[in-house]
Amino acid sequence: MTLSALDALREAFADLRNALDGDDMAQVDAATARVREATAQVRAQGAWRDEPAVREKLNSLMPIIDAARVRTNVLTDNARQRMDLLAAHGADHAPLTYRR
């Protein structure tokens, strides 16, 4: 596995973190696609367990990956709470929820 693939993965997760902090869904979708592609490249390299430098670099990525996971979970929960609040107010107060 080349270290450049891991650098691309780090950059993709940084882009995802920035996109999640914004409110542009197209940017989130694009960043998610970059993470998917970078992850596929890293997986395609294989045999990463044999190289200590690569293993160390992967371990240094874990906090970034975990931060993106936590941020995604927080945003998902926030969206779910908003939808529940809209639903609680009924169809008269939330027409966009019920009349698409």
Side-chain angles (χ1 to χ4, degrees):
M1 174 185 306
T2 63
L3 296 179
S4 63
L6 292 175
D7 290 336
L9 185 61
R10 179 183 295 276
E11 290 173 16
F13 269 103
D15 289 345
L16 179 60
R17 186 190 65 226
N18 291 334
L20 289 172
D21 287 339
D23 58 0
D24 183 0
M25 285 310 300
Q27 188 178 13
V28 172
D29 286 342
T32 302
R34 284 192 299 273
V35 166
R36 188 179 316 112
E37 291 169 13
T39 302
Q41 288 178 356
V42 169
R43 285 182 177 163
Q45 301 286 326
W48 57 268
R49 291 177 183 90
D50 298 336
E51 300 178 36
V54 172
R55 212 171 34 236
E56 182 179 322
K57 194 156 194 164
L58 276 170
N59 286 332
S60 74
L61 279 171
M62 292 309 294
I64 296 168
I65 294 169
D66 196 46
R69 181 190 59 79
V70 168
R71 182 71 172 135
T72 301
N73 288 341
V74 167
L75 291 173
T76 300
D77 186 54
N78 185 292
R80 187 178 309 115
Q81 288 178 14
R82 287 181 181 201
M83 291 300 291
D84 288 346
L85 183 62
L86 287 172
H89 284 97
D92 294 334
H93 299 292
L96 291 177
T97 303
Y98 298 100
R99 297 184 196 124
R100 293 184 188 194

